[in-house]
Amino acid sequence: MNCEVCQLKELEVEHFEIREVLRCILHTIVFHRALGLVRPKDVDLELFEITYVQCGDVELEKKIDEKIDHFISWVEKHPNKKSQICLSFYEVKSKQPSWFTNKTERLYWEQWYVNLNVTQHPKHHSSKSHHTKLIVDPGESATEERSCRRAMVEASLREVLFQIIKFVNEKKDHVPPISEGVIYFPYEITIPRKFQ
C-alpha cells in the first residue's frame, strides 16, 4: 500500500500559541478525512481571526487534546528546538494466522507532519539606540511588533490550512475503501523519535 506524506509548512509560534494552532491544524485534517455522518462545529480561534471546523465528537476532541498536552510537555523539556507532531491514518489488517498468533498490523496510508518552531520572545523590549532624537514609548513599539508578528503567524496558519485543503482534494487515490458504519479511519498522533 502506498503511504502519502504531507509535510506542512513550518510555523514559528510562541509557547502560548501551540495549543490553539495544533487544535486548528489537527481538527482540520481529521474533519477532511471523516467518513460518515459528523456534526460539524465551527470554532473561532481566540488568538487569530480564523475559524475552523471540528467533527463535533467529544471523544475525538479529548484524544487530540491529550496528544497536544503530551507535545507541549515535550516542548517544555526541549526549549528552543524545532518540533514536529505526526498525524497518521492507517488500516488494520490481519496477518497470516499461525499456530500461536493471530496478529494484526497497521498499514499506514497517509501521514501529516506538523512542523513548529517554538520561539522564546523576550518579555521586555528596550530601545538601545543612542542616536535617535525621537523618544519612542517602548511599550508602544512592543505592542506594534507583537501585532505585526501575530499577523504573520495568522497568515502562515492560513497557508497551512490551504495546504491541507489542497492536499485532501488532490490526493484521493491512496484512501482505502470505506467500511460500513465507520465514521473515522483509525489514526494516531505521535512525536517522531528523532524529536523525542
Side-chain angles (χ1 to χ4, degrees), residues 110-172:
E110 190 170 86
Q111 293 183 314
W112 297 81
Y113 288 94
V114 181
N115 301 293
L116 297 182
N117 183 10
V118 182
T119 58
Q120 309 293 327
H121 286 284
K123 301 278 186 235
H124 304 287
H125 298 280
S126 61
S127 180
K128 294 184 179 178
S129 173
H130 301 289
H131 304 292
T132 350
K133 293 184 180 176
L134 178 66
I135 297 172
V136 179
D137 176 12
E140 191 178 307
S141 67
T143 304
E144 189 177 309
E145 183 181 314
R146 192 164 264 304
S147 70
C148 181
R149 196 199 139 286
R150 174 129 337 133
M152 286 174 30
V153 173
E154 184 176 316
S156 293
L157 181 54
R158 283 183 198 281
E159 279 182 53
V160 167
L161 294 176
F162 285 121
Q163 187 182 358
I164 293 167
I165 293 165
K166 183 178 180 197
F167 185 91
V168 297
N169 285 332
E170 290 177 356
K171 307 271 185 172
K172 298 176 187 172

Short mmCIF file of all heavy atoms in Angstrom, two decimals, residues 110-172:
data_model
loop_
_atom_site.label_atom_id
_atom_site.label_comp_id
_atom_site.label_asym_id
_atom_site.label_seq_id
_atom_site.Cartn_x
_atom_site.Cartn_y
_atom_site.Cartn_z
N GLU A 110 -1.58 7.39 5.07
CA GLU A 110 -1.39 8.84 4.99
C GLU A 110 -0.76 9.34 6.28
O GLU A 110 -1.16 8.94 7.37
CB GLU A 110 -2.74 9.53 4.77
CG GLU A 110 -2.63 11.01 4.43
CD GLU A 110 -3.97 11.57 3.98
OE1 GLU A 110 -4.77 11.97 4.83
OE2 GLU A 110 -4.21 11.57 2.75
N GLN A 111 0.23 10.25 6.13
CA GLN A 111 0.88 10.85 7.28
C GLN A 111 1.01 12.35 7.07
O GLN A 111 1.40 12.80 5.99
CB GLN A 111 2.26 10.24 7.52
CG GLN A 111 2.17 8.78 7.94
CD GLN A 111 3.53 8.19 8.23
OE1 GLN A 111 4.48 8.37 7.48
NE2 GLN A 111 3.62 7.45 9.34
N TRP A 112 0.68 13.09 8.11
CA TRP A 112 0.74 14.55 8.11
C TRP A 112 1.77 14.98 9.14
O TRP A 112 1.62 14.67 10.32
CB TRP A 112 -0.61 15.15 8.47
CG TRP A 112 -1.70 14.82 7.52
CD1 TRP A 112 -2.44 13.68 7.47
CD2 TRP A 112 -2.19 15.67 6.48
NE1 TRP A 112 -3.35 13.77 6.46
CE2 TRP A 112 -3.23 14.99 5.84
CE3 TRP A 112 -1.85 16.95 6.04
CZ2 TRP A 112 -3.94 15.52 4.78
CZ3 TRP A 112 -2.56 17.49 4.98
CH2 TRP A 112 -3.58 16.79 4.36
N TYR A 113 2.79 15.70 8.71
CA TYR A 113 3.80 16.21 9.63
C TYR A 113 3.57 17.70 9.85
O TYR A 113 3.63 18.50 8.91
CB TYR A 113 5.21 15.96 9.08
CG TYR A 113 5.59 14.51 9.13
CD1 TYR A 113 5.40 13.67 8.04
CD2 TYR A 113 6.12 13.96 10.30
CE1 TYR A 113 5.72 12.33 8.10
CE2 TYR A 113 6.45 12.61 10.36
CZ TYR A 113 6.25 11.81 9.25
OH TYR A 113 6.56 10.47 9.31
N VAL A 114 3.28 18.03 11.10
CA VAL A 114 3.07 19.43 11.50
C VAL A 114 4.37 19.90 12.12
O VAL A 114 4.83 19.34 13.13
CB VAL A 114 1.91 19.55 12.52
CG1 VAL A 114 1.68 21.00 12.90
CG2 VAL A 114 0.64 18.91 11.97
N ASN A 115 4.98 20.90 11.52
CA ASN A 115 6.30 21.38 11.94
C ASN A 115 6.17 22.73 12.64
O ASN A 115 5.66 23.69 12.05
CB ASN A 115 7.21 21.52 10.72
CG ASN A 115 7.36 20.20 10.00
OD1 ASN A 115 7.95 19.26 10.53
ND2 ASN A 115 6.79 20.10 8.81
N LEU A 116 6.64 22.77 13.89
CA LEU A 116 6.58 24.01 14.66
C LEU A 116 7.97 24.41 15.12
O LEU A 116 8.76 23.57 15.54
CB LEU A 116 5.69 23.85 15.90
CG LEU A 116 4.22 23.54 15.68
CD1 LEU A 116 3.51 23.46 17.02
CD2 LEU A 116 3.56 24.56 14.79
N ASN A 117 8.24 25.69 15.05
CA ASN A 117 9.44 26.26 15.62
C ASN A 117 8.95 27.15 16.76
O ASN A 117 8.43 28.23 16.53
CB ASN A 117 10.20 27.08 14.57
CG ASN A 117 11.50 27.63 15.11
OD1 ASN A 117 11.94 27.28 16.20
ND2 ASN A 117 12.11 28.53 14.36
N VAL A 118 9.08 26.65 17.99
CA VAL A 118 8.58 27.37 19.15
C VAL A 118 9.66 28.35 19.60
O VAL A 118 10.76 27.95 19.99
CB VAL A 118 8.20 26.41 20.29
CG1 VAL A 118 7.64 27.19 21.47
CG2 VAL A 118 7.18 25.38 19.79
N THR A 119 9.34 29.62 19.51
CA THR A 119 10.32 30.66 19.83
C THR A 119 10.08 31.22 21.22
O THR A 119 8.97 31.18 21.74
CB THR A 119 10.25 31.82 18.82
OG1 THR A 119 8.93 32.36 18.82
CG2 THR A 119 10.60 31.35 17.41
N GLN A 120 11.13 31.71 21.80
CA GLN A 120 11.07 32.36 23.12
C GLN A 120 11.32 33.84 22.90
O GLN A 120 12.44 34.26 22.72
CB GLN A 120 12.14 31.78 24.05
CG GLN A 120 12.17 30.28 24.15
CD GLN A 120 10.93 29.72 24.82
OE1 GLN A 120 10.36 30.33 25.70
NE2 GLN A 120 10.50 28.54 24.39
N HIS A 121 10.26 34.61 22.85
CA HIS A 121 10.42 36.06 22.66
C HIS A 121 10.59 36.72 24.01
O HIS A 121 9.88 36.40 24.95
CB HIS A 121 9.22 36.66 21.93
CG HIS A 121 9.21 36.33 20.48
ND1 HIS A 121 10.04 36.93 19.58
CD2 HIS A 121 8.49 35.42 19.78
CE1 HIS A 121 9.82 36.43 18.38
NE2 HIS A 121 8.89 35.50 18.47
N PRO A 122 11.53 37.67 24.11
CA PRO A 122 11.73 38.36 25.38
C PRO A 122 10.47 39.15 25.76
O PRO A 122 9.77 39.66 24.90
CB PRO A 122 12.92 39.29 25.13
CG PRO A 122 13.04 39.39 23.65
CD PRO A 122 12.42 38.16 23.07
N LYS A 123 10.23 39.26 27.06
CA LYS A 123 9.04 39.96 27.55
C LYS A 123 9.18 41.47 27.39
O LYS A 123 8.22 42.17 27.15
CB LYS A 123 8.79 39.63 29.03
CG LYS A 123 8.59 38.16 29.29
CD LYS A 123 7.18 37.76 28.99
CE LYS A 123 6.93 36.33 29.39
NZ LYS A 123 6.42 35.48 28.38
N HIS A 124 10.36 41.97 27.62
CA HIS A 124 10.56 43.42 27.57
C HIS A 124 11.47 43.79 26.41
O HIS A 124 12.52 43.19 26.22
CB HIS A 124 11.20 43.92 28.87
CG HIS A 124 10.39 43.55 30.08
ND1 HIS A 124 9.22 44.15 30.39
CD2 HIS A 124 10.61 42.60 31.03
CE1 HIS A 124 8.73 43.61 31.50
NE2 HIS A 124 9.55 42.66 31.89
N HIS A 125 11.07 44.78 25.67
CA HIS A 125 11.89 45.26 24.55
C HIS A 125 12.46 46.61 24.96
O HIS A 125 11.74 47.49 25.40
CB HIS A 125 11.03 45.44 23.28
CG HIS A 125 10.42 44.17 22.82
ND1 HIS A 125 11.10 43.23 22.09
CD2 HIS A 125 9.17 43.66 22.99
CE1 HIS A 125 10.33 42.21 21.82
NE2 HIS A 125 9.14 42.43 22.36
N SER A 126 13.76 46.76 24.79
CA SER A 126 14.35 48.06 25.15
C SER A 126 14.94 48.68 23.90
O SER A 126 15.46 48.01 23.02
CB SER A 126 15.45 47.87 26.21
OG SER A 126 16.46 47.04 25.69
N SER A 127 14.84 49.98 23.85
CA SER A 127 15.40 50.70 22.71
C SER A 127 16.82 51.08 23.06
O SER A 127 17.05 51.89 23.96
CB SER A 127 14.54 51.95 22.44
OG SER A 127 15.06 52.65 21.36
N LYS A 128 17.81 50.50 22.37
CA LYS A 128 19.21 50.71 22.72
C LYS A 128 19.90 51.74 21.82
O LYS A 128 21.06 51.98 21.96
CB LYS A 128 19.96 49.39 22.64
CG LYS A 128 19.50 48.41 23.70
CD LYS A 128 20.31 47.16 23.67
CE LYS A 128 19.83 46.21 24.75
NZ LYS A 128 20.55 44.96 24.76
N SER A 129 19.17 52.31 20.92
CA SER A 129 19.79 53.28 20.01
C SER A 129 19.98 54.61 20.73
O SER A 129 19.03 55.20 21.24
CB SER A 129 18.90 53.47 18.78
OG SER A 129 19.41 54.51 18.00
N HIS A 130 21.21 55.08 20.78
CA HIS A 130 21.51 56.36 21.41
C HIS A 130 21.47 57.50 20.40
O HIS A 130 21.61 58.65 20.77
CB HIS A 130 22.91 56.31 22.06
CG HIS A 130 23.02 55.23 23.08
ND1 HIS A 130 22.39 55.30 24.30
CD2 HIS A 130 23.68 54.04 23.07
CE1 HIS A 130 22.67 54.21 25.00
NE2 HIS A 130 23.45 53.43 24.26
N HIS A 131 21.32 57.18 19.13
CA HIS A 131 21.37 58.18 18.08
C HIS A 131 20.01 58.76 17.74
O HIS A 131 19.92 59.72 16.99
CB HIS A 131 22.00 57.58 16.81
CG HIS A 131 23.36 57.01 17.07
ND1 HIS A 131 24.44 57.79 17.39
CD2 HIS A 131 23.79 55.72 17.09
CE1 HIS A 131 25.50 57.03 17.59
NE2 HIS A 131 25.13 55.76 17.41
N THR A 132 18.94 58.22 18.31
CA THR A 132 17.61 58.71 17.95
C THR A 132 17.24 59.87 18.84
O THR A 132 17.38 59.82 20.05
CB THR A 132 16.55 57.60 18.15
OG1 THR A 132 17.19 56.38 18.39
CG2 THR A 132 15.63 57.48 16.99
N LYS A 133 16.77 60.93 18.20
CA LYS A 133 16.32 62.09 18.97
C LYS A 133 14.86 61.93 19.36
O LYS A 133 14.42 62.51 20.33
CB LYS A 133 16.53 63.37 18.15
CG LYS A 133 17.99 63.67 17.94
CD LYS A 133 18.20 64.96 17.23
CE LYS A 133 19.70 65.17 17.07
NZ LYS A 133 20.03 66.33 16.33
N LEU A 134 14.14 61.14 18.58
CA LEU A 134 12.74 60.91 18.85
C LEU A 134 12.61 59.87 19.95
O LEU A 134 13.19 58.80 19.88
CB LEU A 134 12.04 60.40 17.57
CG LEU A 134 10.57 60.06 17.68
CD1 LEU A 134 9.77 61.33 17.95
CD2 LEU A 134 10.10 59.43 16.40
N ILE A 135 11.87 60.21 20.99
CA ILE A 135 11.68 59.27 22.08
C ILE A 135 10.45 58.43 21.77
O ILE A 135 9.37 58.95 21.54
CB ILE A 135 11.52 60.01 23.43
CG1 ILE A 135 12.79 60.79 23.73
CG2 ILE A 135 11.20 59.03 24.54
CD1 ILE A 135 12.67 61.71 24.91
N VAL A 136 10.67 57.12 21.76
CA VAL A 136 9.58 56.20 21.46
C VAL A 136 9.24 55.44 22.73
O VAL A 136 10.12 54.93 23.42
CB VAL A 136 10.00 55.21 20.35
CG1 VAL A 136 8.88 54.23 20.06
CG2 VAL A 136 10.40 55.96 19.09
N ASP A 137 7.95 55.35 23.02
CA ASP A 137 7.49 54.57 24.17
C ASP A 137 7.75 53.10 23.87
O ASP A 137 7.18 52.56 22.93
CB ASP A 137 6.00 54.83 24.39
CG ASP A 137 5.42 53.97 25.50
OD1 ASP A 137 6.20 53.36 26.25
OD2 ASP A 137 4.18 53.92 25.62
N PRO A 138 8.64 52.42 24.64
CA PRO A 138 8.96 51.03 24.35
C PRO A 138 7.72 50.13 24.42
O PRO A 138 7.64 49.15 23.71
CB PRO A 138 9.98 50.63 25.41
CG PRO A 138 10.09 51.75 26.37
CD PRO A 138 9.36 52.92 25.82
N GLY A 139 6.77 50.44 25.27
CA GLY A 139 5.55 49.65 25.35
C GLY A 139 4.77 49.72 24.05
O GLY A 139 4.23 48.73 23.59
N GLU A 140 4.74 50.90 23.45
CA GLU A 140 4.00 51.09 22.19
C GLU A 140 4.66 50.33 21.05
O GLU A 140 3.99 49.65 20.26
CB GLU A 140 3.93 52.59 21.86
CG GLU A 140 2.99 52.93 20.74
CD GLU A 140 2.94 54.44 20.53
OE1 GLU A 140 2.70 55.17 21.49
OE2 GLU A 140 3.16 54.85 19.37
N SER A 141 5.99 50.39 20.96
CA SER A 141 6.67 49.68 19.87
C SER A 141 6.59 48.17 20.07
O SER A 141 6.49 47.41 19.11
CB SER A 141 8.12 50.14 19.74
OG SER A 141 8.87 49.75 20.87
N ALA A 142 6.62 47.72 21.33
CA ALA A 142 6.50 46.28 21.60
C ALA A 142 5.11 45.79 21.20
O ALA A 142 4.98 44.71 20.64
CB ALA A 142 6.76 46.00 23.08
N THR A 143 4.09 46.58 21.48
CA THR A 143 2.72 46.21 21.10
C THR A 143 2.59 46.15 19.58
O THR A 143 1.98 45.22 19.05
CB THR A 143 1.71 47.23 21.68
OG1 THR A 143 1.89 47.30 23.09
CG2 THR A 143 0.29 46.83 21.36
N GLU A 144 3.19 47.11 18.91
CA GLU A 144 3.14 47.14 17.45
C GLU A 144 3.89 45.94 16.86
O GLU A 144 3.41 45.29 15.93
CB GLU A 144 3.77 48.44 16.95
CG GLU A 144 3.59 48.68 15.47
CD GLU A 144 4.17 50.02 15.05
OE1 GLU A 144 3.84 51.03 15.69
OE2 GLU A 144 4.95 50.03 14.08
N GLU A 145 5.04 45.64 17.44
CA GLU A 145 5.84 44.50 16.98
C GLU A 145 5.07 43.19 17.19
O GLU A 145 5.04 42.32 16.34
CB GLU A 145 7.15 44.46 17.77
CG GLU A 145 8.09 43.36 17.34
CD GLU A 145 9.36 43.35 18.17
OE1 GLU A 145 9.94 44.44 18.37
OE2 GLU A 145 9.75 42.26 18.62
N ARG A 146 4.41 43.07 18.36
CA ARG A 146 3.64 41.87 18.68
C ARG A 146 2.46 41.69 17.72
O ARG A 146 2.18 40.59 17.26
CB ARG A 146 3.13 41.95 20.13
CG ARG A 146 2.59 40.66 20.61
CD ARG A 146 2.46 40.63 22.11
NE ARG A 146 3.50 40.06 22.90
CZ ARG A 146 3.99 38.83 22.78
NH1 ARG A 146 3.57 38.05 21.85
NH2 ARG A 146 4.92 38.38 23.57
N SER A 147 1.76 42.76 17.41
CA SER A 147 0.61 42.64 16.50
C SER A 147 1.07 42.32 15.08
O SER A 147 0.41 41.58 14.36
CB SER A 147 -0.29 43.88 16.54
OG SER A 147 0.34 44.97 15.97
N CYS A 148 2.22 42.84 14.68
CA CYS A 148 2.79 42.52 13.37
C CYS A 148 3.17 41.04 13.31
O CYS A 148 2.88 40.34 12.34
CB CYS A 148 4.01 43.41 13.12
SG CYS A 148 4.78 43.13 11.53
N ARG A 149 3.81 40.55 14.38
CA ARG A 149 4.19 39.15 14.47
C ARG A 149 2.96 38.26 14.44
O ARG A 149 2.91 37.24 13.77
CB ARG A 149 4.98 38.92 15.76
CG ARG A 149 5.75 37.64 15.76
CD ARG A 149 6.12 37.22 17.18
NE ARG A 149 5.92 35.81 17.33
CZ ARG A 149 4.77 35.17 17.42
NH1 ARG A 149 3.67 35.82 17.42
NH2 ARG A 149 4.71 33.87 17.53
N ARG A 150 1.93 38.64 15.19
CA ARG A 150 0.70 37.85 15.24
C ARG A 150 0.06 37.77 13.86
O ARG A 150 -0.43 36.73 13.45
CB ARG A 150 -0.28 38.47 16.26
CG ARG A 150 -1.60 37.79 16.23
CD ARG A 150 -2.19 37.30 17.51
NE ARG A 150 -1.36 37.03 18.62
CZ ARG A 150 -1.61 37.45 19.86
NH1 ARG A 150 -2.65 38.17 20.11
NH2 ARG A 150 -0.80 37.13 20.84
N ALA A 151 0.08 38.87 13.11
CA ALA A 151 -0.48 38.88 11.75
C ALA A 151 0.31 37.92 10.85
O ALA A 151 -0.27 37.24 10.01
CB ALA A 151 -0.47 40.29 11.18
N MET A 152 1.63 37.87 11.04
CA MET A 152 2.46 36.96 10.24
C MET A 152 2.14 35.50 10.58
O MET A 152 2.05 34.66 9.69
CB MET A 152 3.95 37.25 10.46
CG MET A 152 4.41 38.51 9.77
SD MET A 152 6.12 39.04 10.12
CE MET A 152 7.00 37.56 10.43
N VAL A 153 1.97 35.19 11.87
CA VAL A 153 1.63 33.81 12.27
C VAL A 153 0.27 33.44 11.72
O VAL A 153 0.07 32.34 11.19
CB VAL A 153 1.66 33.66 13.82
CG1 VAL A 153 1.15 32.29 14.24
CG2 VAL A 153 3.06 33.89 14.36
N GLU A 154 -0.68 34.37 11.79
CA GLU A 154 -2.02 34.12 11.27
C GLU A 154 -1.99 33.84 9.77
O GLU A 154 -2.62 32.89 9.29
CB GLU A 154 -2.93 35.32 11.56
CG GLU A 154 -4.36 35.12 11.13
CD GLU A 154 -5.26 36.28 11.52
OE1 GLU A 154 -5.14 36.77 12.66
OE2 GLU A 154 -6.07 36.69 10.68
N ALA A 155 -1.22 34.62 9.03
CA ALA A 155 -1.10 34.42 7.58
C ALA A 155 -0.46 33.05 7.29
O ALA A 155 -0.90 32.33 6.39
CB ALA A 155 -0.28 35.54 6.95
N SER A 156 0.55 32.68 8.07
CA SER A 156 1.20 31.37 7.88
C SER A 156 0.25 30.23 8.21
O SER A 156 0.23 29.21 7.53
CB SER A 156 2.45 31.27 8.76
OG SER A 156 3.43 32.17 8.32
N LEU A 157 -0.55 30.40 9.26
CA LEU A 157 -1.52 29.37 9.63
C LEU A 157 -2.57 29.20 8.53
O LEU A 157 -2.96 28.09 8.19
CB LEU A 157 -2.18 29.71 10.98
CG LEU A 157 -3.20 28.71 11.52
CD1 LEU A 157 -2.62 27.31 11.61
CD2 LEU A 157 -3.70 29.18 12.88
N ARG A 158 -2.99 30.31 7.94
CA ARG A 158 -3.93 30.23 6.82
C ARG A 158 -3.32 29.46 5.65
O ARG A 158 -3.98 28.65 5.02
CB ARG A 158 -4.33 31.63 6.34
CG ARG A 158 -5.33 32.32 7.21
CD ARG A 158 -5.72 33.68 6.61
NE ARG A 158 -6.33 34.52 7.60
CZ ARG A 158 -7.60 34.41 7.98
NH1 ARG A 158 -8.37 33.51 7.45
NH2 ARG A 158 -8.09 35.21 8.91
N GLU A 159 -2.04 29.71 5.38
CA GLU A 159 -1.34 28.99 4.31
C GLU A 159 -1.35 27.49 4.58
O GLU A 159 -1.57 26.68 3.67
CB GLU A 159 0.11 29.46 4.20
CG GLU A 159 0.31 30.74 3.44
CD GLU A 159 1.80 31.09 3.36
OE1 GLU A 159 2.59 30.22 2.92
OE2 GLU A 159 2.15 32.22 3.75
N VAL A 160 -1.12 27.10 5.84
CA VAL A 160 -1.12 25.68 6.20
C VAL A 160 -2.51 25.09 6.00
O VAL A 160 -2.65 23.99 5.48
CB VAL A 160 -0.61 25.49 7.65
CG1 VAL A 160 -0.90 24.09 8.16
CG2 VAL A 160 0.88 25.78 7.74
N LEU A 161 -3.54 25.82 6.40
CA LEU A 161 -4.91 25.33 6.22
C LEU A 161 -5.23 25.13 4.74
O LEU A 161 -5.84 24.13 4.35
CB LEU A 161 -5.92 26.27 6.88
CG LEU A 161 -5.83 26.36 8.40
CD1 LEU A 161 -6.80 27.40 8.94
CD2 LEU A 161 -6.03 25.02 9.06
N PHE A 162 -4.79 26.07 3.90
CA PHE A 162 -4.99 25.91 2.45
C PHE A 162 -4.17 24.75 1.91
O PHE A 162 -4.61 24.04 1.00
CB PHE A 162 -4.68 27.20 1.70
CG PHE A 162 -5.75 28.24 1.85
CD1 PHE A 162 -5.46 29.49 2.38
CD2 PHE A 162 -7.07 27.99 1.45
CE1 PHE A 162 -6.46 30.44 2.54
CE2 PHE A 162 -8.06 28.93 1.60
CZ PHE A 162 -7.76 30.16 2.14
N GLN A 163 -2.97 24.53 2.46
CA GLN A 163 -2.14 23.40 2.06
C GLN A 163 -2.87 22.09 2.37
O GLN A 163 -2.86 21.15 1.57
CB GLN A 163 -0.80 23.47 2.80
CG GLN A 163 0.22 22.44 2.37
CD GLN A 163 1.52 22.53 3.16
OE1 GLN A 163 1.72 23.39 4.03
NE2 GLN A 163 2.43 21.60 2.87
N ILE A 164 -3.52 22.01 3.53
CA ILE A 164 -4.28 20.82 3.92
C ILE A 164 -5.43 20.59 2.93
O ILE A 164 -5.60 19.48 2.41
CB ILE A 164 -4.84 20.96 5.36
CG1 ILE A 164 -3.70 20.95 6.37
CG2 ILE A 164 -5.87 19.85 5.66
CD1 ILE A 164 -4.10 21.40 7.77
N ILE A 165 -6.19 21.63 2.66
CA ILE A 165 -7.34 21.51 1.77
C ILE A 165 -6.91 21.10 0.37
O ILE A 165 -7.51 20.22 -0.26
CB ILE A 165 -8.16 22.82 1.75
CG1 ILE A 165 -8.81 23.02 3.12
CG2 ILE A 165 -9.21 22.81 0.65
CD1 ILE A 165 -9.34 24.41 3.36
N LYS A 166 -5.82 21.69 -0.11
CA LYS A 166 -5.31 21.34 -1.44
C LYS A 166 -4.89 19.86 -1.48
O LYS A 166 -5.21 19.14 -2.42
CB LYS A 166 -4.12 22.24 -1.78
CG LYS A 166 -3.56 22.01 -3.16
CD LYS A 166 -2.42 22.96 -3.45
CE LYS A 166 -1.91 22.68 -4.85
NZ LYS A 166 -0.62 23.21 -5.12
N PHE A 167 -4.20 19.41 -0.44
CA PHE A 167 -3.73 18.02 -0.39
C PHE A 167 -4.91 17.05 -0.39
O PHE A 167 -4.92 16.09 -1.16
CB PHE A 167 -2.86 17.81 0.86
CG PHE A 167 -2.24 16.44 0.95
CD1 PHE A 167 -0.99 16.19 0.41
CD2 PHE A 167 -2.90 15.39 1.57
CE1 PHE A 167 -0.41 14.93 0.48
CE2 PHE A 167 -2.33 14.13 1.66
CZ PHE A 167 -1.08 13.90 1.11
N VAL A 168 -5.92 17.28 0.47
CA VAL A 168 -7.03 16.32 0.54
C VAL A 168 -7.87 16.32 -0.73
O VAL A 168 -8.46 15.31 -1.08
CB VAL A 168 -7.95 16.54 1.78
CG1 VAL A 168 -7.19 16.31 3.06
CG2 VAL A 168 -8.63 17.87 1.77
N ASN A 169 -7.90 17.44 -1.44
CA ASN A 169 -8.65 17.49 -2.70
C ASN A 169 -7.90 16.86 -3.86
O ASN A 169 -8.51 16.31 -4.77
CB ASN A 169 -9.03 18.93 -3.05
CG ASN A 169 -10.16 19.44 -2.18
OD1 ASN A 169 -10.99 18.67 -1.70
ND2 ASN A 169 -10.18 20.74 -1.95
N GLU A 170 -6.56 16.93 -3.83
CA GLU A 170 -5.77 16.39 -4.93
C GLU A 170 -5.37 14.93 -4.73
O GLU A 170 -5.22 14.19 -5.68
CB GLU A 170 -4.50 17.23 -5.13
CG GLU A 170 -4.78 18.62 -5.69
CD GLU A 170 -3.52 19.45 -5.79
OE1 GLU A 170 -2.42 19.01 -5.36
OE2 GLU A 170 -3.63 20.58 -6.29
N LYS A 171 -5.16 14.53 -3.50
CA LYS A 171 -4.64 13.19 -3.20
C LYS A 171 -5.77 12.33 -2.63
O LYS A 171 -6.04 12.37 -1.43
CB LYS A 171 -3.50 13.27 -2.19
CG LYS A 171 -2.38 14.20 -2.57
CD LYS A 171 -1.36 13.49 -3.38
CE LYS A 171 -0.18 14.43 -3.64
NZ LYS A 171 0.91 13.78 -4.25
N LYS A 172 -6.40 11.55 -3.50
CA LYS A 172 -7.52 10.72 -3.05
C LYS A 172 -7.33 9.25 -3.39
O LYS A 172 -7.98 8.39 -2.80
CB LYS A 172 -8.83 11.20 -3.71
CG LYS A 172 -9.20 12.61 -3.34
CD LYS A 172 -10.44 13.03 -4.10
CE LYS A 172 -10.72 14.50 -3.86
NZ LYS A 172 -11.77 15.01 -4.69
#
